Each structure stands twice: as structure tokens, then as C-alpha cells.
Amino acid sequence: MTLPISYDDIDAARERLRPFFDASPVRHYPQLDELVGYDIRVLVKHENHLPTGSFKVRNGTASVTALSPEQAAQGVIAATTGNHGLGLAWAGAARGVGVTICVPTGNNPEKNAGIRALGATLIEVGERYDETVAACRAIAEQEQRTIVHSTNHLPVIAGAGTMSDQYLTQAPELDALVIALGGGSQAVGALTVANARKASLAVYAVQSQGAPAQHNAWHDGEARAGVPAHTFAEGIATGSTYAMTYPALRTGLRDFVLASEAMIAQSVRDLWRITHNLPEGAGAAGLAGLRLLAPQLAGKTVGLVMCGGNLDAERAAHILLGGMPHFPSGTDEGQAIGGRGPSHRLPSSS
């Protein structure tokens, strides 16, 4: 298996993160066992309890704390539409590093407000995401800031790997992890941890049917770029494969499934009802994937990750009342600087 980082990288990131926030909890909910069936014991790791409500704060903090003194003095910059920007802004504030976040015009106002509240400079630029990315590059060059890509950045992947490392310490009985996959930092981190600490730990991935680029690339071996993504689960609205994660995903994942938008929305409702934690779409996708994978995981202890809880109020109300949410249009933030994989192929129009 080709891995972009080593377990030593995750270990170093864990030590850098230690002063900033505590471990997120792992909890067992017997009603989830009943819901999934097949004598599966389901555990949930609540990354939604971390600062900014998402695992992305691990990625941002690992990246900011890896800067040299010179880089820290110049600050960092990222193009993003969501949790990556929040995590980086929080980490910058915690370490006293200047952060600039570029978002498309009309970006989620709740996330914009959260980024600004953390002291980051927020620049709304570009009607389309590629225009935002171009502006981010130009500002980075002009101001000599370090670009922190949401996937293709080694400290980001190491930071995400601290989640699975911590999970396995908290629940050494884990047989499998089912991870919602966007850029792939969480899944590649999990594969790195399994390779070093528990070879029998199987890692599975799930993506939305409305954003199948990574899934389809995994199954047919053809990298993707720029495939339209139509899902309310913004955290996995990925239209590309990524150079630093795709090879490891291709060789390391045990299986990769697609869940419908309706299944993900129902998983939001189920997790709210059973855990009284409100996940965003990506945070609920693991449960949707587990229900598809359940026959092959019968009798196992399976870990899910509530990777984020930043569901906006209007969409949350709509979903909890039984509706299907609208999804944002445009491209995913994984297509920011350096986000494209080594080759590109668009799916046929059929």
C-alpha cells in the first residue's frame, strides 16, 4: 500500500495537537446496534465536539503548528467553502498566526461569520470556485503566505490521522471503520494507523450518489477531476481525486459504497433521535454507508465518525421535519490549489 505519510508523522502531529484540545469522546448507543442489525456493535466518535464542530480543526492545527517561524510570521491562506476554513482560522487564532480565507461570493453566511469571529481575514471573491482559487493563489504569492490545501498537504493528512490513532486507543476492539470520504484525509490517516498498529482493522468509505467521483475512480482505477457534485453533504461534495490520497485509497480501502441523498438525510434524523447530536450531511454519511455494508460486517465492532456538526439552521429544520434539503451548486473545495490528481477523466454523459 502506498501511503503519503508515516505513522511517525501522525505521532508527531498528535504531540503538536496535545496542548490545544482534548480527545473527542467515543460512545456506544445500543439503539444504533438495533437500527443497523446483523449483530453489529456500533461506536461513534464525536468529532463534532471538537472546537469548530469538525475534525478539520485537527488538520488546521497540525498544519499551523508545523510552520517554521518564518512561515508563521508570514501567515497562511486557503480557499474553502466550509470546515477547512473554520479549522484553519481557529488554529491560527490559537497560535497567533495570521490566516486569510478566500470563499466564493454568496458562501454560507453562518460559516463566513464563524471564520470572521475567529479573527481570520475573510475575502469573498469569485462567482465560481475556480475564480476563488485563482484569487487565493495570487494573494499567496503577493503576501508570501503558505497555502494550506484541504487535502494535498502532508500536515493536513497527518492531522486527520490523529483521529483514527486516538479512536483505536479509546476502542482497541474496533474491527472496522466506516468513513465519509471527501478528499480522503481521514481515510488515509486511518489506513496509516491500521498499517502501523492493527493490520486487521478494515477501513471502508462512503460517498454520496450525488458526488461519486472518488468512488468511481476507486472502482475503475481512473482518476477524476472537475466532476459536478450535487449533494447537501458539503463535506463530501468532491468532484476530483487528489494526488496525495488517491493511491492509498485505491490500494488500502476494503470497500467503497455510495449512499443516496435520502439515506444520508435519514441518517441525520436517526443520529439526532438516538444520540441527540445533530450531524451535518458528511457527519451522518458513515451511518448510511454502514447500513449498506452491514451484511459483510455482521458480528463486528464498527466505528463511525460524526466528523462534523455544522449543519446550518435552515437546512437542519428542513431535514428534521422529514424534507430533502437543497444542495449548493458549484465545485468542491478539494479542487483548490494542488487539488487535482495525476490524470483526469470525466465520466461519460450517460
Side-chain angles (χ1 to χ4, degrees):
M1 177 170 49
T2 304
L3 293 166
I5 60 170
S6 69
Y7 182 72
D8 286 344
D9 295 321
I10 293 174
D11 190 48
R14 183 182 66 244
E15 290 305 308
R16 296 200 308 274
L17 267 57
R18 190 187 302 276
F20 291 93
F21 44 82
D22 295 329
S24 62
V26 173
R27 293 177 182 156
H28 174 235
Y29 301 92
Q31 286 178 285
L32 283 180
D33 300 352
E34 296 172 9
L35 181 71
V36 172
Y38 293 91
D39 195 30
I40 294 172
R41 184 170 185 261
V42 183
L43 301 179
V44 180
K45 186 158 177 60
H46 284 281
E47 294 287 279
N48 59 307
H49 289 193
L50 291 178
T52 78
S54 163
F55 87 97
K56 293 278 189 171
V57 75
R58 295 181 184 271
N59 303 10
T61 305
S63 298
V64 166
T65 55
L67 297 170
S68 69
E70 294 76 19
Q71 290 172 323
Q74 292 297 121
V76 298
I77 189 169
T80 174
T81 59
N83 287 335
H84 178 57
L86 284 166
L88 199 57
W90 187 92
R95 198 189 169 201
V97 172
V99 175
T100 296
I101 301 296
C102 299
V103 300
T105 302
N107 192 54
N108 184 315
E110 293 184 14
K111 289 181 178 176
N112 287 356
I115 290 168
R116 286 194 180 102
L118 289 165
T121 298
L122 186 116
I123 301 174
E124 296 185 72
V125 58
E127 295 295 328
R128 301 189 310 273
Y129 197 76
D130 56 355
E131 296 173 353
T132 307
V133 170
C136 179
R137 286 197 188 103
I139 296 167
E141 184 174 355
Q142 180 181 359
E143 300 182 358
Q144 296 298 297
R145 290 178 175 266
T146 297
I147 295 171
V148 180
H149 182 261
S150 62
T151 301
N152 275 347
H153 193 68
L154 292 177
V156 159
I157 301 171
T162 65
M163 185 276 294
S164 292
D165 191 48
Q166 193 178 85
Y167 208 159
L168 194 56
T169 297
Q170 293 166 308
E173 71 273 23
L174 280 170
D175 297 307
L177 290 170
V178 180
I179 292 175
L181 196 144
S185 63
Q186 271 193 105
V188 171
L191 290 169
T192 306
V193 169
N195 185 62
R197 294 187 55 189
K198 189 175 183 178
S200 63
L201 180 66
V203 181
Y204 297 80
V206 57
Q207 205 170 25
S208 168
Q209 288 179 354
Q214 289 261 40
H215 168 274
N216 293 348
W218 186 82
H219 281 275
D220 67 20
E222 297 286 343
R224 302 297 205 276
V227 180
H230 303 290
T231 174
F232 81 91
E234 295 166 317
I236 53 173
T238 301
S240 299
T241 50
Y242 310 100
M244 288 188 183
T245 56
Y246 177 58
L249 297 173
R250 183 88 170 97
T251 56
L253 290 177
R254 189 68 57 90
D255 201 355
F256 198 158
V257 296
L258 289 176
S260 70
E261 292 288 286
M263 288 184 68
I264 296 173
Q266 184 58 49
S267 294
V268 171
R269 291 188 282 269
D270 288 335
L271 286 166
W272 170 251
R273 174 177 57 86
I274 292 171
T275 75
H276 298 288
N277 283 253
L278 182 61
E280 58 190 86
L287 176 58
L290 176 56
R291 297 185 77 172
L292 293 169
L293 292 162
Q296 60 182 290
L297 289 169
K300 304 291 187 181
T301 297
V302 180
L304 302 179
V305 182
M306 197 174 290
C307 57
N310 294 323
L311 190 62
D312 62 273
E314 182 179 354
R315 191 173 295 168
H318 192 66
I319 294 172
L320 293 178
L321 289 172
M324 279 299 299
H326 299 293
F327 46 77
S329 60
T331 56
D332 63 294
E333 71 181 43
Q335 292 179 44
I337 300 96
R340 294 186 174 176
S343 62
H344 317 303
R345 195 197 78 166
L346 297 181
S348 66
S349 57
S350 61

